[in-house]
Amino acid sequence: MNQTINIQQLSLTETLRTKSEEVLKQNWRNGFTVPSSNLYPFQWLWDSGFIAMGWSFIDMKKARQELDTLLQAQWSNGFLPHIIFHDDNAEKQYFPGADFQGAHTHSFAPKHVKTSGITQPPVLGFVLEYLLEKEDDIELNRHFYVNAVESIFKFHQYLYQNRDPRKEGLVYIRHNWESGTDNSAAWDSIWQTYTPPTYDVQRKDTAHVNQAQRPTKKDYNYYLHLIELSKECGYDEEKMYENLPFLVQDPLFNSLLVASNESLVRMAVELDLPHIAEQCSIWSDWTGNAINRKLYDEELGLYGYYDLKNERFISIATAMGFSPLFAGIVSKQRAMRLLKIIESSAFSGEDQSLFLCPSLAINHPEFDPKRYWRGPVWLNINWLLYKGFYNYGFKSVARAIKNDSIRLVQQNGFFEYFNPMPDENEVNGYGGQNFSWTAAIILEMLN
Ligand code: GLC
């Protein structure tokens, strides 16, 4: 009996592995991978990071190429854009395209390709180290790794120089899209401070995905308005700092920055780039301490956000509030509390009946199990939490996060996000199908 189960499980795993590989292969274009073919027809920054990890199980050359293509679109000041609009034709399928975003004419922007003027979470440091560790012979690709370490270092330098005006060690994001968690309920209190104009535009996302699973029309007014204001500032960092109503110190963004700094330190030592190792080590300690000092929410017991514009802490229980574990900067005592919280009914449900990890605590009044970052489970966040809890020795919850991730995909398919409280009579995956980072994370978790 046991043997049959094992064989069945083995073949399920093999099928899942093969399907994950197919998704990445289908979404591969010329030198990069689209997150999802209809919904997101270009290259996205943090998607490409997770995707490169996935490629490393199939084809190391493509994994390196994914990052190389991304880094070639780096601006001359070190900034890395969140979208690279490689395909002019695909612009017709996507809104807001490069022209609406109006950043590609900036004097720092690359000339060979159009990009956006906002960034995304800094995952590339730890992703690059992930690839480096898998190389059989580093010497063969030394040139690529040295260049990549230098480019990622330049990106971090850009962040510390331009996004931390008070020199606190915490960098801010200036658009909610920069967080990667677009319509998180964390921003609601900021949206309540002003009213944006109404944009009468043709959204393309709702042509592919049910409106009930996407940000609302009202949300989009805020997002587009921030882009309009950034354009009015000519994407000048100082002007944007003065004028944008959205300036947030985000726990996920800063934690990933610490993790990437740490990876840069180790890679720089290995590749003999001592100035980078030294600087990244200083940044890493600085930001790690600042996260613990300023973003820890004593009352809720997890990490929250700081609204720099309105000078107030945003106290909210999101899955991203556990992300400092991934950076390894949490004290034992706080980590124990994080463990209790993820195991509590707010994230695990009564009798641990939920699929981990809802992006928003289910007892939050805005929790919506189907709407994007306001409840659903996302596999990239799950992977970060899985690693984080695992590294603190909390193996059982780590295993639960991993198993839930695999089961959600097995039961529903390679969706963009999933219902943490699945209904047996429905498909419980939403958003883009054949979603690249979902496939990449599954490959990682299966290995
Ligand atoms: C959505 C997600 C963002 C992701 C992008 C492409 O905007 O919120 O995190 O990078 O889609 O997949």
Side-chain angles (χ1 to χ4, degrees):
M1 183 67 181
N2 263 346
Q3 211 178 1
T4 341
I5 291 174
N6 282 342
I7 289 170
Q8 270 177 359
Q9 253 169 5
L10 204 68
S11 75
L12 266 178
T13 306
E14 275 320 305
T15 314
L16 207 57
R17 202 193 306 273
T18 313
K19 283 196 182 150
S20 306
E21 292 183 1
E22 278 167 12
V23 169
L24 289 188
K25 286 177 187 163
Q26 269 169 29
N27 290 343
W28 175 257
R29 299 293 180 267
N30 198 9
F32 70 97
T33 312
V34 296
S36 165
S37 66
N38 291 327
L39 197 56
Y40 307 115
F42 312 105
Q43 187 175 24
W44 263 257
L45 200 172
W46 77 326
D47 295 67
S48 268
F50 295 112
I51 289 166
M53 286 175 16
W55 275 118
S56 74
F57 294 97
I58 310 170
D59 180 344
M60 277 302 283
K61 194 164 161 236
K62 285 203 168 74
R64 279 184 240 109
Q65 216 181 337
E66 182 81 40
L67 297 189
D68 201 37
T69 309
L70 191 72
L71 293 173
Q72 276 178 32
Q74 183 163 36
W75 289 25
S76 61
N77 62 343
F79 170 81
L80 283 175
H82 93 304
I83 305 179
I84 305 168
F85 298 97
H86 289 290
D87 180 350
D88 281 343
N89 284 330
E91 274 214 60
K92 295 182 199 92
Q93 295 170 38
Y94 186 79
F95 182 81
D99 290 333
F100 187 94
Q101 303 209 20
H104 59 285
T105 49
H106 195 286
S107 60
F108 295 151
K111 305 285 174 272
H112 69 286
V113 70
K114 293 180 189 170
T115 79
S116 67
I118 63 175
T119 190
Q120 262 187 339
V123 298
L124 297 186
F126 66 81
V127 166
L128 190 73
E129 188 181 29
Y130 189 91
L131 301 194
L132 184 73
E133 281 174 350
K134 286 185 141 189
E135 294 289 356
D136 296 329
D137 183 354
I138 293 172
E139 283 313 306
L140 282 178
N141 292 291
R142 190 183 172 82
H143 186 64
F144 163 77
Y145 284 100
V146 168
N147 282 341
V149 164
E150 284 173 343
S151 302
I152 299 167
F153 174 68
K154 247 185 106 180
F155 175 47
H156 291 196
Q157 197 166 42
Y158 153 85
L159 290 172
Y160 286 104
Q161 280 172 358
N162 294 284
R163 303 297 191 94
D164 184 17
R166 301 179 197 169
K167 302 294 166 228
E168 294 181 273
L170 288 176
V171 304
Y172 67 74
I173 53 171
R174 49 169 165 73
H175 194 294
N176 54 299
W177 281 334
E178 292 201 312
S179 68
T181 61
D182 306 6
N183 68 339
S184 165
W187 325 134
D188 291 3
S189 66
I190 302 177
W191 304 145
Q192 277 156 19
T193 61
Y194 66 98
T195 309
T198 304
Y199 292 89
D200 189 19
V201 291
Q202 194 65 42
R203 272 170 71 180
K204 307 283 166 76
D205 57 328
T206 43
H208 304 293
V209 176
N210 181 336
Q211 169 66 68
Q213 299 160 14
R214 295 284 303 177
T216 63
K217 194 162 187 284
K218 190 168 162 228
D219 294 336
Y220 253 76
N221 289 332
Y222 284 99
Y223 311 169
L224 298 178
H225 180 50
L226 285 176
I227 296 283
E228 286 288 359
L229 291 175
S230 306
K231 270 196 291 194
E232 280 167 25
C233 295
Y235 282 96
D236 175 274
E237 297 291 347
E238 273 179 38
K239 286 192 190 146
M240 286 188 283
Y241 176 62
E242 290 302 321
N243 292 298
L244 297 185
F246 185 102
L247 300 172
V248 172
Q249 291 166 324
D250 173 304
L252 175 68
F253 198 101
N254 280 283
S255 296
L256 299 184
L257 182 59
V258 172
S260 280
N261 274 327
E262 289 286 309
S263 291
L264 285 180
V265 172
R266 288 185 292 267
M267 288 187 287
V269 168
E270 184 161 352
L271 298 167
D272 197 18
L273 302 164
H275 64 293
I276 293 186
E278 197 186 323
Q279 182 60 65
C280 290
S281 163
I282 295 170
W283 283 337
S284 171
D285 290 346
W286 193 33
T287 303
N289 289 332
I291 292 173
N292 275 312
R293 182 176 37 78
K294 196 172 178 190
L295 300 185
Y296 184 66
D297 187 338
E298 274 295 345
E299 217 175 300
L300 290 184
L302 34 61
Y303 291 79
Y305 301 73
Y306 194 83
D307 172 355
L308 265 189
K309 191 71 191 186
N310 302 297
E311 286 294 1
R312 60 185 182 201
F313 188 75
I314 302 173
S315 170
I316 183 168
T318 70
M320 287 57 77
F322 299 106
S323 62
L325 287 172
F326 180 78
I329 55 173
V330 182
S331 68
K332 272 261 142 59
Q333 199 193 357
R334 287 184 178 178
M336 281 300 294
R337 215 172 149 198
L338 289 173
L339 175 68
K340 287 216 176 82
I341 294 168
I342 200 167
E343 286 179 341
S344 74
S345 57
F347 283 97
S348 291
E350 298 301 336
D351 309 324
Q352 319 278 295
S353 57
L354 295 190
F355 277 76
L356 288 170
C357 175
S359 42
L360 181 63
I362 65 161
N363 55 2
H364 189 285
E366 285 299 317
F367 172 79
D368 179 341
K370 296 186 181 179
R371 202 184 284 279
Y372 220 41
W373 291 95
R374 300 174 81 87
V377 177
W378 291 75
L379 257 63
N380 62 332
I381 299 295
N382 265 12
W383 181 76
L384 297 169
L385 301 192
Y386 156 65
K387 285 280 173 194
F389 280 105
Y390 191 91
N391 290 341
Y392 273 81
F394 302 134
K395 306 254 158 93
S396 136
V397 81
R399 233 174 272 128
I401 296 172
K402 175 167 147 175
N403 291 342
D404 284 358
S405 307
I406 294 173
R407 269 170 59 213
L408 281 170
V409 175
Q410 240 161 11
Q411 291 170 2
N412 301 290
F414 290 85
F415 279 93
E416 186 179 359
Y417 45 101
F418 300 88
N419 194 328
M421 27 177 74
D423 175 339
E424 273 175 31
N425 305 312
E426 283 183 23
V427 174
N428 292 288
Y430 315 112
Q433 293 183 30
N434 294 327
F435 199 72
S436 296
W437 82 32
T438 301
I441 296 297
I442 288 294
L443 280 173
E444 211 290 328
M445 286 181 166
L446 291 179
N447 281 282

